[in-house]
Amino acid sequence: MHKFKSPAIALIFSLVAIAPAMATPWHDFGPRAMSMGGAGVAIAQGPDAVFYNPAALSHLDNASGFAVNVGARGEFTGSVIQGANDLNKLNDSCSKLDAANCTTAKINEAFDHLGQAGNGAQVDVAGAMTFKFKRLAFFALNETYLGASPELDRTVGVLGSELTNNQSKLVLRGGMFNEFGVGYGRELGETGLILGGNLKLISGKVGYHELRVVAEDSDSIDKFKDDAKTSLQPAADLGVLWDVKKTFEGALGRPKLGLVARNINNPTFKQPDAARTSGERDRFSLHGQMRAGASISPFNFWHLAADMDLTENVSYIDGYKSRYMGLGTEVNVFNRSWINIPLRAGLKKNLSDTASGLAYTAGFGLNLAHVMIDVGGQMSAKTTTLQSERESKKIPNNFAGGVRIAVLFGGGEKAKPLAAEEVAPSAKPE
């Protein structure tokens, strides 16, 4: 058993102390974590560790190599889809002077659905190219966020063009953030306590646009991009990983605990003129994030993990917040040095939104020698039903998907694939 050094303990408490009151929503980066309920802090491995926990870059027997990730997530909060759908149907009825279907009561009902607190829609997209060699990683990562919040004009008429002239709008906010950086991790002696971090430069392009709900505005996204402002900011991430078995040799199941803080300096970026004119803040903040995780591996082919946000996250929807907790499992089929098929599943819940349902997650991978292909996805159990004249459709309130392609090599003189070496190096396949 080894004693932790006092600077390491001080760093852990410092990470918790600097946790911001509010944070940017966490993107489930990479299909492995995405399909395990978003859990990745304690089981981060290979090049992907730069996002979930740079401390995991430390292991010399951790896989080195090159990885490409792409993923996206969409979410509709409250009854925003139903309200927008009903309002557009009413617009058609009112423009046709259909008095039976264009009534003040129906218009107000649509407004009630559209305008509830926390209603809106948001999407986030991420992609990355990462190269890792031993403890060092270089990465180029893009995160794009876009949110839409309704602002209502209740001064409406009943028939004719008066509804068409209604000024209700969706306020679009968001930005594209390109990160270029280097990550490094190292164990403190042989204590089992590992520290890591990233230094990076972020190019942020922030956009803002107001889109009328009942008007044709096919150029809205172009206007959102064309009016955006671009600026540069430095940023840093810190991570801690405790490999409990290295500290307490009798620990069963190779338990690990992790803590990560991203963008700890809360970098801010220039807002477009339209945003400042509308009363938005002068600077757009990419709020720091903090998340904790734990994992255990009952066998070398079976892993369990759980993550939870330590910060309550602001979104790009007025009045809507998130704080996610997720858990997942991974079972490796075959689990040999030349072939492995990891099967993954999990659950995810927004603790800040009691009305939100569980999200179910799943995915799989195919590892042949050093080539790895992984896919994963999420979908909420809660749906919204949209009714049209011809049919009704159920739309999940949130959904996500991701893909990764990687070429990875294990540490040491003999190259071995990730699943066989990384999570439980003491239990190697035959």
Side-chain angles (χ1 to χ4, degrees), residues 173-196:
R173 301 181 182 90
M176 178 185 294
F177 303 94
N178 295 305
E179 302 183 359
F180 304 92
V182 57
Y184 181 79
R186 192 173 187 91
E187 184 178 1
L188 298 181
E190 296 182 358
T191 62
L193 187 67
I194 308 163
L195 307 180

Side-chain angles (χ1 to χ4, degrees), residues 305-321:
D307 274 15
M308 186 175 71
D309 291 334
L310 299 183
T311 46
E312 190 169 47
N313 308 321
V314 295
S315 70
Y316 303 107
I317 300 173
D318 288 336
Y320 186 76
K321 299 175 183 178

Side-chain angles (χ1 to χ4, degrees), residues 4-24:
F4 292 149
K5 299 179 181 180
S6 57
I9 299 297
L11 176 60
I12 293 173
F13 281 104
S14 297
L15 282 178
V16 176
I18 64 175
M22 305 301 291
T24 298

Side-chain angles (χ1 to χ4, degrees), residues 403-414:
V403 177
R404 182 185 79 150
I405 300 175
V407 179
L408 303 177
F409 301 90
E413 295 180 0
K414 187 177 180 180

